[in-house]
Amino acid sequence: MLRRLYDWTLSLASHRHAAIALAVIAFAESSFFPIPPDILLIPMILAARNKAWRYATICMVASVLGGLAGYAIGHFLFESVGKPVLGFYGYASKFETFRDYYNEWGAWAVFIAGVTPFPYKVITILSGVTSLDPVIFSVSSVLARGIRFFLIAALIWQFGPPIRDFIERRLGLVFTVFIVGLVGGFVAIKYLI
């Protein structure tokens, strides 16, 4: 089953709607969806290395637009939508303490969350709730998401065939390590913050 899912994801790169699917996932992940677009971006670049920069650009633009949607959720819909999303990720109780210091360090918070596995959507919503300057928010988001997605694209573009061969020979191991790392990262962040 894992092999079929992997093969399907690779085949998606040649599908005429691949870029749209990538954009939708990148947009949604920045405002409410728990799965990062890297899961689709990496296999798409592996399948079509010549489109690496295009896919990274799509990811960055859609992610920043999704971040602005998260900002709007926090700014306009915090009580009805934002609070439940923060509660789902376990950050609602810590919000009031965090809010007091947020705008002072908001640009760095947006940047760090945009580059790391920290749930970026939490920061986008918090930025809207605290009314972080939208220009600061946007610039930090473009820089962070650009670094993240273009770094992934550059690594896969440069080392694509050996990485693809390694993944295909050890698909089960790679998948297990990726899932453990992803879940472990979220758990570690939840208990550290």
Side-chain angles (χ1 to χ4, degrees):
M1 180 171 134
L2 187 56
R3 171 61 62 183
R4 281 196 324 245
L5 180 61
Y6 174 78
D7 290 339
W8 175 81
T9 306
L10 285 177
S11 73
L12 185 60
S14 61
H15 193 274
R16 64 184 181 158
H17 299 298
I20 293 169
L22 182 62
V24 168
I25 290 171
F27 179 90
E29 183 271 336
S30 294
S31 50
F32 64 89
F33 193 62
I35 307 296
D38 311 61
I39 290 175
L40 187 56
L41 176 64
I42 293 168
M44 286 176 68
I45 294 172
L46 283 172
R49 286 177 53 216
N50 61 323
K51 295 180 181 179
W53 313 119
R54 178 175 177 244
Y55 290 151
T57 301
I58 289 168
C59 251
M60 180 190 69
V61 170
S63 182
V64 170
L65 292 174
L68 290 169
Y71 185 100
I73 288 170
H75 192 73
F76 298 110
L77 304 170
F78 181 67
E79 290 298 320
S80 61
V81 178
K83 236 180 198 176
V85 171
L86 291 177
F88 177 79
Y89 289 100
Y91 292 99
S93 63
K94 299 172 185 172
F95 175 67
E96 289 307 320
T97 305
F98 188 66
R99 182 181 198 164
D100 296 335
Y101 300 102
Y102 187 76
N103 278 346
E104 183 178 343
W105 299 99
W108 286 107
V110 173
F111 183 81
I112 291 167
V115 175
T116 65
F118 185 87
Y120 181 60
K121 68 209 62 40
V122 171
I123 294 298
T124 66
I125 292 169
L126 292 175
S127 296
V129 171
T130 62
S131 298
L132 179 67
D133 183 330
V135 173
I136 290 173
F137 173 81
S138 298
V139 169
S140 295
S141 292
V142 168
L143 291 173
R145 297 315 248 184
I147 288 170
R148 178 175 171 166
F149 298 129
F150 278 91
L151 180 62
I152 289 170
L155 290 172
I156 304 271
W157 182 81
Q158 180 65 35
F159 303 108
I163 289 173
R164 184 175 182 168
D165 292 341
F166 177 82
I167 289 171
E168 288 179 353
R169 279 187 274 124
R170 295 174 181 85
L171 185 59
L173 174 65
V174 169
F175 179 76
T176 302
V177 168
F178 179 77
I179 295 300
V180 168
L182 185 66
V183 171
F186 282 114
V187 169
I189 287 168
K190 181 174 181 169
Y191 290 106
L192 291 175
I193 294 180

